[in-house]
């Protein structure tokens, strides 16, 4: 027996498919949208007409013109920048960034600054975020702000409301979403930064980063964004994916999380720095190490044998065993190495591959492909923007005006 589909539900789904196709393809023709969605030309024509009338889409001749047999070029569709805007907030170690992004994905205004996240009291840390958001909203030219997404290093709750724990601050359980919503009256989600890196990669390179892939952040900390069957993996109680705090060596080197033997305690910037200086594994992690210092350390490691090269070797080994354990649970997948540590991937890759090959998940280690993205901040910002914009696409603009038509199993414009 066939199950009927509510008319409004089908209409919402089809509108969402059209908006998503326009966002992904950047100024596609109606024919290209039909090819991407599988919807009929008549359905796409009706939906696009509605979206144009609602101020969500616009016709443009700046896209790639596709000639018909009669020689008439097809008109492209584009997202209207002024239809909506979102705010992205990136809170990292000693760093805060806020940007306003329009509906077409272009940055309207942005601000970033260094601040001492490790020493600021909780109310001052929150106050810095509120003040920067307030300034950027004031510079946004009266745009219609419909969503905010805050990305933070560390663990967030499954409901995407609270920063549960972060190595960038001694404070835990900070309800950023409730605070920001109470101040500005705009819906807010709180996300793990590595998850937002994975979100950005899906949009930047959908051919490589499609069904299954992994984004590993190699920075002061080690993080992971994991996508399985096209969906971002998260825990039932938290954002999940704490790859850096998987145990590499029980009772091993001291990690900044306070435990011992984590992958991060061997592969984070502070761990590589500690090992290169031949300091004790019991030494407290250095609070912050500049990118210039890490680049200089990598240059020394390339130039000669010594503790610097051994430190990078140990880092590669720790990451490799971690990935091998992960690949024992899931099939090997493309990996993106992101962050300042990725700039030294030439030093890390050989021991990393050797370690994977020694695990149960390393049977096909030679086929695992790695890509390098040395700067994580643009990816985190982009991931936040795309998460916020797609929430608007799916939850608000896809709904449109409600209809009273009975349920039926046909395409709905």
């Amino acid at each position: 027996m066939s199950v009927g589909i509510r008319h409004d539900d089908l209409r919402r789904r089809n509108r969402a498919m059209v908006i998503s196709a326009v966002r992904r393809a950047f100024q596609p023709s109606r024919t290209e949208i039909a090819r991407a969605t599988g919807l009929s030309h008549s359905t796409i024509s009706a939906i696009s007409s509605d979206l144009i009338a609602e101020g969500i889409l616009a016709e443009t001749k700046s896209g790639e013109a596709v000639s018909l047999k009669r020689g008439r070029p097809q008109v492209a569709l584009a997202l209207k920048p002024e239809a909506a805007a979102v705010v992205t907030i990136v809170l990292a170690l000693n760093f805060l960034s806020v940007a306003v992004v329009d509906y077409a994905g272009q940055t309207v205004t942005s601000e970033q600054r260094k601040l001492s996240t490790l020493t600021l009291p909780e109310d001052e840390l929150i106050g810095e975020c509120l003040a920067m958001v307030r300034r950027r909203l004031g510079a946004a030219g009266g745009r219609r702000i419909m969503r905010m997404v805050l990305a933070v290093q560390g663990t967030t709750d499954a409901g995407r409301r609270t920063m549960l724990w972060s190595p960038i601050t001694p404070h835990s359980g900070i309800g950023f979403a409730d605070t920001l919503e109470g101040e500005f009256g705009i819906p807010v989600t709180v996300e793990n930064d590595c998850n937002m890196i994975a979100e950005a990669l899906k949009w930047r390179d959908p051919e490589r980063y499609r069904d299954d892939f992994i984004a590993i952040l190699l920075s002061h900390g080690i993080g992971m964004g994991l996508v399985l069957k096209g969906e971002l993996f998260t825990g039932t109680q938290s954002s999940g994916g704490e790859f850096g705090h998987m145990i590499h060596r029980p009772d091993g080197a001291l990690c900044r999380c306070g435990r011992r033997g984590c992958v991060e305690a061997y592969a984070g910037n502070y761990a590589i720095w500690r090992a290169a200086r031949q300091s004790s594994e019991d030494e407290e992690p250095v609070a912050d190490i500049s990118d210039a210092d890490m680049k200089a350390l990598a240059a020394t490691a390339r130039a000669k044998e010594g503790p610097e090269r051994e430190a990078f070797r140990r880092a590669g080994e720790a990451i490799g065993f971690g990935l091998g354990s992960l690949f024992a649970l899931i099939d090997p997948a493309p990996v993106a190495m992101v962050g300042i540590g990725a700039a030294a991937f030439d030093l890390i890759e050989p021991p990393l591959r050797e370690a994977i090959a020694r695990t149960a998940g390393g049977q096909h280690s030679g086929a695992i492909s790695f890509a390098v993205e040395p700067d994580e901040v643009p990816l985190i910002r982009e991931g936040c923007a795309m998460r916020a914009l797609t929430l608007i696409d799916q939850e608000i603009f896809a709904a449109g005006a409600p209809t009273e038509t009975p349920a039926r199993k046909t395409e709905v414009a």
Side-chain angles (χ1 to χ4, degrees):
M1 181 179 70
S2 63
V3 179
I5 301 175
R6 277 179 49 86
H7 183 274
D8 284 349
D9 291 343
L10 190 56
R11 179 172 176 272
R12 175 193 283 264
R13 186 200 70 180
N14 291 345
R15 282 169 60 100
M17 289 171 66
V18 170
I19 294 170
S20 177
V22 175
R23 185 174 297 287
R24 187 170 291 284
F26 183 71
Q27 298 187 357
S29 67
R30 288 171 175 81
T31 298
E32 290 169 322
I33 296 171
R35 190 180 306 123
T37 63
L39 298 175
S40 69
H41 287 270
S42 61
T43 296
I44 290 168
S45 179
I47 290 174
S48 60
S49 294
D50 287 345
L51 293 172
I52 290 169
E54 294 165 23
I56 298 168
L57 296 184
E59 291 185 332
T60 176
K61 298 228 170 73
S62 62
E64 182 180 350
V66 181
S67 296
L68 300 175
K69 289 182 179 179
R70 295 180 181 177
R72 187 178 66 184
Q74 292 192 25
V75 176
L77 293 173
L79 300 166
K80 289 198 75 171
E82 62 270 27
V86 300
V87 173
T88 69
I89 308 166
V90 179
L91 182 59
L93 178 66
N94 296 334
F95 176 84
L96 175 65
S97 167
V98 174
V100 176
V101 179
D102 67 27
Y103 193 58
Q106 300 301 308
T107 299
V108 175
T109 179
S110 65
E111 179 181 348
Q112 64 184 51
R113 59 164 295 198
K114 297 278 285 184
L115 71 164
S116 181
T117 60
L118 291 168
T119 60
L120 277 178
E122 182 176 332
D123 60 341
E124 292 186 27
L125 181 63
I126 295 170
E128 290 283 356
C129 292
L130 295 176
M132 191 176 288
V133 170
R134 192 175 296 111
R135 288 193 295 271
R136 289 312 96 209
L137 291 178
R143 282 174 170 78
R144 185 186 180 195
I145 310 294
M146 299 181 70
R147 273 278 180 182
M148 292 189 192
V149 172
L150 182 151
V152 64
Q153 290 181 15
T155 307
T156 66
D157 68 310
R160 298 182 171 94
R161 307 289 299 172
T162 302
M163 186 202 76
L164 299 176
W165 171 85
S166 175
I168 71 171
T169 174
H171 314 298
S172 59
I174 303 178
F176 278 112
D178 289 343
T179 301
L180 287 162
E181 286 180 4
E183 184 73 17
F184 301 109
I186 299 168
V188 178
T189 56
V190 181
E191 304 278 0
N192 170 268
D193 58 346
C194 292
N195 287 349
M196 293 302 92
I197 289 172
E199 187 79 17
L201 291 172
K202 283 174 62 178
W203 285 92
R204 279 194 181 187
D205 190 352
E207 289 303 313
R208 174 177 169 80
Y209 303 111
R210 200 182 192 108
D211 297 328
D212 299 338
F213 70 90
I214 300 165
I216 300 289
L217 177 62
L218 307 178
S219 187
H220 196 68
I222 303 296
M224 179 183 72
L226 174 63
V227 173
L228 298 174
K229 300 187 185 306
E231 297 294 329
L232 194 64
F233 171 81
T234 57
T236 57
Q237 297 181 337
S238 72
S239 51
E242 284 298 311
F243 175 83
H245 300 290
M246 292 170 57
I247 296 300
H248 172 52
R249 290 183 181 171
D251 302 319
L254 180 63
C255 181
R256 65 175 175 165
C257 74
R259 300 180 182 87
R260 289 183 173 275
C262 300
V263 170
E264 183 180 296
Y266 295 88
N269 286 358
Y270 67 84
I272 296 172
W273 185 262
R274 180 171 60 189
R277 292 170 56 237
Q278 298 181 289
S279 299
S280 168
E281 291 187 344
D282 298 329
E283 183 180 280
E284 285 288 333
V286 176
D288 196 4
I289 301 165
S290 71
D291 290 356
D293 283 341
M294 289 304 299
K295 289 177 180 176
L297 194 67
T300 301
R302 292 186 186 98
K304 63 178 182 179
E305 288 283 356
E308 297 85 2
R309 186 175 296 180
E310 175 63 13
F312 282 101
R313 189 201 67 77
R314 283 159 50 97
E317 180 182 71
I319 296 166
F321 279 124
L323 283 173
S325 297
L326 182 62
F327 291 148
L329 301 175
I330 65 172
D331 290 335
V335 180
M337 293 292 181
V338 183
I340 185 60
F345 191 61
D346 58 313
L347 296 167
I348 292 171
E349 183 178 11
L352 184 154
R353 286 192 178 276
E354 289 174 10
I356 291 177
R358 292 166 59 189
T359 68
Q363 297 180 30
H364 307 288
S365 58
I368 299 170
S369 63
F370 293 93
V372 173
E373 297 279 353
D375 190 355
E376 72 269 25
V377 173
L379 283 167
I380 298 171
R381 287 176 182 151
E382 186 177 333
C384 288
M386 295 312 301
R387 171 55 59 89
L389 290 168
T390 51
L391 285 171
I392 294 172
D393 295 346
Q394 297 164 4
E395 297 178 0
I396 302 174
F397 288 161
T403 64
E404 300 296 332
T405 311
R408 55 183 177 178
K409 291 185 66 179
T410 58
E411 290 183 354
V412 177

